[in-house]
Structures are given as structure tokens and as C-alpha cells.
Amino acid sequence: MLKVQVLSGSESIGFIPELARLRIEVFREFPYLYAGSLEYEQRYLKKFLHLPESTLVVVQDADRVVGASTALPLAQAEAEFQEPFREAGLEPAEWYYFGESVLERPYRGRGLGVEFFKQREARARALGYANTTFCAVARPENHPLRPPDYRPLDAFWERQGYRKRPDLLAHFSWQDLDEAQESPKPMVFWVKGLEGAGR
């Protein structure tokens, strides 16, 4: 029996190690190809403990964490993610930013991706946000590590009501599996206005 919990701020503390593990495991796959470390991940994720407006959606199978999704106010996210909005004349304080969604492969295709969006949007509304956004890495069609059976998630995101904004482009650095060091990667934003919400 799968259990879904929605947590915020310091409630997330016990799940940080498992979320770090999941991020490394899932983001090794294309298109992220992320070569991460548990030490870096746990340090990165601890920011959620000090943000009362943060959100962590956790999926457990019995006592094991098999999926998680995060969100926080865009104004409290890294500067790299705020900058494209400022350049476009959009105020970051008006946006709730969805971070990662990570789910172990055997649990995919069960509607949990939809549940992640549903729960984070509900939290955004509860906090008074009228706009939600997330970004995804943009890889070229001919990327040498692209699996033959890879299917982009664009159609899924569109079904959730999100619209791609190629004009909102960030660059964020990490080390790919085939890289010797970090390099900047282009990240394209998707946006959605929440009906009946507003600050």
C-alpha cells in the first residue's frame, strides 16, 4: 500500500537522506545524466528545513521511500532560477517553484506524477500563489547518451496544464556522467496560472 505525505519546513528532516539517494539514482538517467554525491545532496536539500513555505511530497511503500517531489517560493530558490523571470519583467515573489520529482522506476505509470503536481499546486494555492513553474534540462535530439527508447515528458506536462516558455531560460551547472567537471546546462521553464488563486 502506497502512502503519500505532504510535509513542509522542519517536517522534512527525516526524509533528507532518502531524498538525496533518490535524486542521485533517478537523475543519473537521461536527460540529466547527473553525477552527484550524497554529501552534496544532503547539504543542498537541508535548505528546505529552514523554509516554512517549502513543500516535500513523499511516497512510501511500507516504510521505504520510493518517490518524492519538492517545491518552494521562486524568490527563495537559487538566483540562477530567478534571473530569467526578472529579465522578462516577471516578479519571482509571485511564483511558486516546483523542484525535482523523483520516482523509482517500478512505481512509474501509476499516477504518482499527476499526484505530485496535484499536491504541490494545492500547497501553492494554500500559500496564496497564483502562478506555478518548473524547469527541465534541454538536451539536443542527437545527444550521444540519449537512449533509443527515450520519451520526453512534454506531453505529460501539457496535460497537467503547463505551457513551455523557451524565452525563460536558465543555466545551472552540474557534472554529467561523462564529464570531468561541472558545466552549465540550459534549463527551460514551464508555467501555469492557478485558477481561483492569488496573493
Side-chain angles (χ1 to χ4, degrees):
M1 180 73 176
L2 298 179
K3 179 173 69 172
V4 178
Q5 295 183 76
V6 182
L7 309 169
S8 61
S10 60
E11 296 173 337
S12 308
I13 188 166
F15 293 97
I16 295 298
E18 282 299 287
L19 181 53
R21 175 190 63 80
L22 277 171
R23 276 177 50 95
I24 291 173
E25 177 184 325
V26 173
F27 286 155
R28 284 182 68 85
E29 300 173 15
F30 187 87
Y32 287 90
L33 303 171
Y34 173 59
S37 71
L38 282 173
E39 180 184 6
Y40 169 82
E41 288 298 318
Q42 294 196 47
R43 190 168 64 248
Y44 164 78
L45 291 165
K46 281 182 179 176
K47 67 183 178 184
F48 287 94
L49 305 180
H50 309 293
L51 297 177
E53 291 189 333
S54 70
T55 301
L56 173 62
V57 185
V58 177
V59 180
Q60 290 176 281
D61 188 349
D63 292 329
R64 185 165 175 272
V65 176
V66 298
S69 191
T70 65
L72 72 163
L74 181 59
Q76 295 175 333
E78 286 82 355
E80 292 94 332
F81 297 132
Q82 297 184 46
E83 191 58 31
F85 286 77
R86 296 189 193 282
E87 290 178 354
L90 300 171
E91 175 50 59
E94 296 177 358
W95 295 80
Y96 200 60
Y97 172 70
F98 294 171
E100 60 277 290
S101 287
V102 287
L103 192 60
E104 290 185 358
R105 188 175 290 275
Y107 296 88
R108 298 174 194 174
R110 301 190 189 185
L112 291 167
V114 174
E115 186 69 13
F116 284 152
F117 276 103
K118 176 183 171 183
Q119 295 295 345
R120 290 180 298 176
E121 288 174 7
R123 174 79 167 143
R125 284 191 178 90
L127 292 169
Y129 287 90
N131 303 291
T132 55
T133 187
F134 67 89
C135 61
V137 64
R139 297 287 192 177
E141 291 279 338
N142 62 349
H143 193 284
L145 297 181
R146 180 187 176 107
D149 60 349
Y150 172 70
R151 292 172 55 191
L153 291 172
D154 295 35
F156 168 73
W157 294 329
E158 288 170 355
R159 288 196 299 273
Q160 310 316 308
Y162 285 81
R163 179 168 54 93
K164 192 174 186 178
R165 286 283 303 264
D167 57 312
L168 297 177
L169 185 68
H171 288 84
F172 200 72
S173 294
W174 67 83
Q175 183 179 344
D176 274 359
L177 295 173
D178 61 344
E179 289 183 323
Q181 58 189 17
E182 291 187 355
S183 67
K185 314 295 189 303
M187 307 281 288
V188 179
F189 280 87
W190 292 68
V191 301
K192 179 178 179 177
L194 300 179
E195 294 181 7
R199 295 176 76 87

